[in-house]
């Protein structure tokens, strides 16, 4: 049984004061539930404020990115160790905005995944095809390459805390959600690749989140699919009411 992970990626939104207010509103709306795990990923600067608000609650804290070295001359970067120090448990690695706006490629993302484990963080490793790649019928190939390159050489122990997020780039921030069918087909493909890299039982234990315009009115149908184990939510996580409704989706 995989516990769904419902995560909010706040991207580059919210000052510390605004983040505190949003985290508080989320905390008030979300009833503790053992059948789902909730995670907030604020921008780096708001992590301490959100950590304070979430203290004593079951809601987890994560970051949106990290550097692959623990410390050093890397102006403007933040390490996994620094994130752990602030109370983060998770870190998003390879979000499509990091891949496509900041040019992060498989090799760099692989280093970040390994560094996250080293720092004691659980990476949420994002994969997903662009619209042109889907139109060219290459979505399976693209996602397989991202998985094999990004996750090469993980130990069995590391696979136990790994989370994968399938986020088709054409669905992120566009209001165009993948249908449950399309998402399930890709999630099944992701799980098959993971089984090929490790084994069926290991792949069965790895949570695969869906991300791409998840909203209160489409979350339940997505979560009803057998290989969808949670959601990575961008825009709708900036509103406590919407995010609360997404997190508390009725489970079948
Ligand atoms: C995301 O940022 O990971 C995302 C899925 O964004 P949105 O929900 O806004 O599409």
């Amino acid at each position: 049984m995989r516990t769904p992970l419902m995560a909010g990626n706040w991207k580059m939104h919210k000052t510390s004061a605004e983040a505190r207010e949003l985290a508080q509103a989320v905390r008030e709306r979300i009833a503790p539930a053992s059948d789902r795990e909730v995670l907030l990923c604020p921008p780096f600067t708001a992590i301490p404020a959100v950590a304070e608000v979430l203290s004593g609650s079951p809601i987890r804290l994560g970051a949106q990115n990290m550097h692959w070295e623990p410390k050093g001359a890397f102006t403007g970067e933040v390490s996994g160790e620094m994130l752990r120090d602030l109370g983060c448990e998770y870190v998003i690695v390879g979000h499509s905005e990091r891949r496509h706006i900041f040019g992060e490629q498989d090799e760099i993302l692989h280093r970040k995944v390994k560094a996250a484990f080293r720092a004691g963080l659980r990476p949420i490793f994002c994969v997903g095809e662009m619209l042109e790649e889907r139109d060219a019928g290459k979505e399976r190939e693209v996602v397989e390459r991202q998985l094999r390159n990004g996750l090469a050489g993980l130990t069995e122990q590391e696979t136990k805390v790994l989370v994968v997020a399938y986020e088709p780039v054409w669905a992120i921030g566009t209001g165009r959600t993948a249908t449950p069918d399309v998402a399930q087909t890709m999630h099944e493909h992701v799980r098959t690749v993971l089984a090929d890299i490790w084994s069926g039982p290991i792949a069965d234990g790895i949570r695969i989140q869906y991300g791409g315009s998840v909203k209160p009115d489409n979350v339940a149908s997505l979560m009803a699919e057998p290989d969808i184990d949670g959601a990575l939510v961008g825009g709708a996580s900036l509103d406590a009411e919407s995010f609360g409704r997404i997190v508390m989706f009725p489970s079948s």
Side-chain angles (χ1 to χ4, degrees), residues 66-67 69-71 77-84 119 121:
M66 58 174 277
H67 193 265
E69 290 293 339
K71 60 182 166 189
E77 292 292 326
V78 171
S79 73
E81 284 72 5
M82 292 168 179
L83 298 173
R84 273 302 288 155
L121 292 163

Side-chain angles (χ1 to χ4, degrees), residues 65-68 93 102-115 125 149-150:
N65 181 31
M66 58 174 277
H67 193 265
W68 61 85
V93 175
F102 299 99
E104 294 188 4
Q105 294 183 352
D106 293 350
E107 152 67 19
I108 289 295
L109 298 176
H110 179 240
R111 286 204 228 171
K112 291 191 178 195
V113 167
K114 293 295 288 176
F125 182 65
N149 291 345

Side-chain angles (χ1 to χ4, degrees), residues 5 90-93 99 113 117 122-128 143 146-148 150-151 154 158-159 161-167 186-187 189-191 193-194 197-198 202-203 205-211 227-232:
L5 176 61
Y90 287 87
V91 62
I92 300 171
V93 175
R99 288 181 189 265
V113 167
F117 290 122
R122 301 170 150 222
I124 298 178
F125 182 65
C126 302
V127 296
V143 164
Q146 292 171 338
L147 289 167
R148 288 191 187 277
L151 302 177
L154 264 55
E158 289 170 340
T159 63
V161 293
L162 170 72
V163 177
V164 173
Y166 169 64
E167 299 205 297
M186 288 304 289
H187 279 236
H189 174 57
V190 168
R191 205 173 301 284
V193 173
L194 298 178
I197 300 175
W198 294 293
I202 287 180
I206 297 176
R207 290 182 292 181
I208 308 172
Q209 295 180 299
Y210 168 78
D227 287 296
I228 301 185
D229 311 311
L232 183 50

Side-chain angles (χ1 to χ4, degrees), residues 13-246:
H13 293 284
K14 307 293 174 188
T15 61
S16 284
E18 291 164 349
R20 193 184 297 278
E21 204 176 303
L22 177 56
Q24 187 58 42
V26 168
R27 186 176 175 167
E28 281 160 15
R29 266 176 183 79
I30 291 174
S34 57
D35 64 345
R36 61 203 70 189
E37 194 180 339
V38 185
L39 166 68
L40 298 182
C41 299
F44 291 140
T45 48
I47 289 173
V50 173
E52 217 178 287
V53 172
L54 298 186
S55 164
S57 104
I59 302 174
R60 323 240 182 219
L61 184 62
Q64 303 169 18
N65 181 31
M66 58 174 277
H67 193 265
W68 61 85
E69 290 293 339
K71 60 182 166 189
F74 300 104
T75 302
E77 292 292 326
V78 171
S79 73
E81 284 72 5
M82 292 168 179
L83 298 173
R84 273 302 288 155
D85 180 50
L86 294 181
C88 289
E89 285 179 69
Y90 287 87
V91 62
I92 300 171
V93 175
H95 187 279
S96 80
E97 286 148 19
R98 299 300 318 171
R99 288 181 189 265
H100 301 298
I101 303 175
F102 299 99
E104 294 188 4
Q105 294 183 352
D106 293 350
E107 152 67 19
I108 289 295
L109 298 176
H110 179 240
R111 286 204 228 171
K112 291 191 178 195
V113 167
K114 293 295 288 176
F117 290 122
R118 207 180 45 228
L121 292 163
R122 301 170 150 222
I124 298 178
F125 182 65
C126 302
V127 296
E129 79 285 359
M130 297 173 79
L131 187 58
E132 310 84 272
E133 293 165 332
R134 174 162 283 266
D135 287 345
K138 294 203 162 127
E139 69 276 14
R140 297 168 78 83
E141 185 187 316
V142 167
V143 164
E144 177 163 359
R145 191 208 69 226
Q146 292 171 338
L147 289 167
R148 288 191 187 277
N149 291 345
L151 302 177
L154 264 55
T155 64
E156 198 171 322
Q157 204 48 39
E158 289 170 340
T159 63
K160 293 204 166 86
V161 293
L162 170 72
V163 177
V164 173
Y166 169 64
E167 299 205 297
V169 181
W170 46 270
I172 298 180
T174 59
R176 192 180 154 193
T177 322
T179 61
D181 247 24
V182 165
Q184 168 58 26
T185 302
M186 288 304 289
H187 279 236
E188 198 182 328
H189 174 57
V190 168
R191 205 173 301 284
T192 305
V193 173
L194 298 178
D196 193 58
I197 300 175
W198 294 293
S199 69
I202 287 180
D204 279 344
I206 297 176
R207 290 182 292 181
I208 308 172
Q209 295 180 299
Y210 168 78
S213 299
V214 174
K215 305 280 184 253
D217 60 356
N218 59 28
V219 63
S221 58
L222 287 159
M223 293 308 127
E225 295 295 337
D227 287 296
I228 301 185
D229 311 311
L232 183 50
V233 186
S237 72
L238 294 171
D239 178 77
E241 208 249 318
S242 292
F243 187 62
R245 284 170 60 207
I246 290 171

